[in-house]
Amino acid sequence: MSDGADDPPGRTRCTWRATGSFRIDRAGRRAAAEAREVVAGLRGQGLRVALLTGDRRATGLAIASMVGIEAADVYAEVLPADKAATVAALQRTGPVAMVGDGVNDAPALVQADVGVAIGSGTDVAVDAADVTLLRSDLRGLLDALAIGRATVRTIRRNLFWASAYNLVLIPIAAGALYPLSSLPGWLRALDPALAAGAMALSSVTVVLSSLALRRVVADR
């Protein structure tokens, strides 16, 4: 790695010493702390986190140790052309999300089941990704994951209630209860006005359920 003398602001700066160790400046320590928080959050959700880098293995292991990634999950000295192949190999064990911000990451972002680009990254990476974090803060990955899961839960809940509504009320509207003389007349022969109101209520229920996602976004 370079000594960082010409690095743009916000980039991690590492300086190698003759002993093979390196030091990281204040911005790098802040980035490492953010990455460590994200790794801990992902692993706390039962997700496996790996580091894919073109740097030497010693560098990859040192960075992985700083952010809490297991040594067995470090893929170092990976050429740009081989990153997509590495992601494809990992996909044999399950879905893979790839986070990257460079031109060399673009093929791997496309190959992954979900490609996530950092907003401050290259245009190529942003175009190749499925999701773009608008801020240069990896913690946005946890936010995106929480919002995505809440969205899926909302979709499933809406489908359940919409299906249950139709399964119950369509037979009633078709006269399934008409032979039951013990029931009120308005229920045995469903009044069109009541049917219209029930349909509107179903739509309102789905909309209100979807609007609950705003609480998830606000909490993030």
Side-chain angles (χ1 to χ4, degrees), residues 5 11 22-24 37 39 46 50 54 56 77 83 91 96 103 117 134 141 144 158 179-180 182 200 202-203 216:
R11 294 289 186 181
F22 59 91
R23 61 180 177 85
I24 301 179
E37 179 181 342
V39 170
R56 290 184 293 182
E77 301 179 23
K83 285 189 174 182
Q91 286 176 314
V96 174
V103 174
L134 299 182
L141 182 61
N158 289 346
L180 304 178
S182 60
S202 172
S203 300
V216 177

Side-chain angles (χ1 to χ4, degrees), residues 103-131:
V103 174
N104 295 335
D105 297 323
L109 290 171
V110 173
Q111 175 64 42
D113 296 279
V114 179
V116 182
I118 307 298
S120 61
T122 62
D123 292 339
V124 175
V126 171
D127 290 340
D130 302 295
V131 178

Side-chain angles (χ1 to χ4, degrees), residues 99 102 114 129 138 176:
V99 183
V114 179
L138 276 177

Side-chain angles (χ1 to χ4, degrees), residues 177-178 180-190:
L177 300 181
Y178 188 78
L180 304 178
S181 57
S182 60
L183 295 176
W186 62 267
L187 184 58
R188 293 170 57 209
L190 191 61

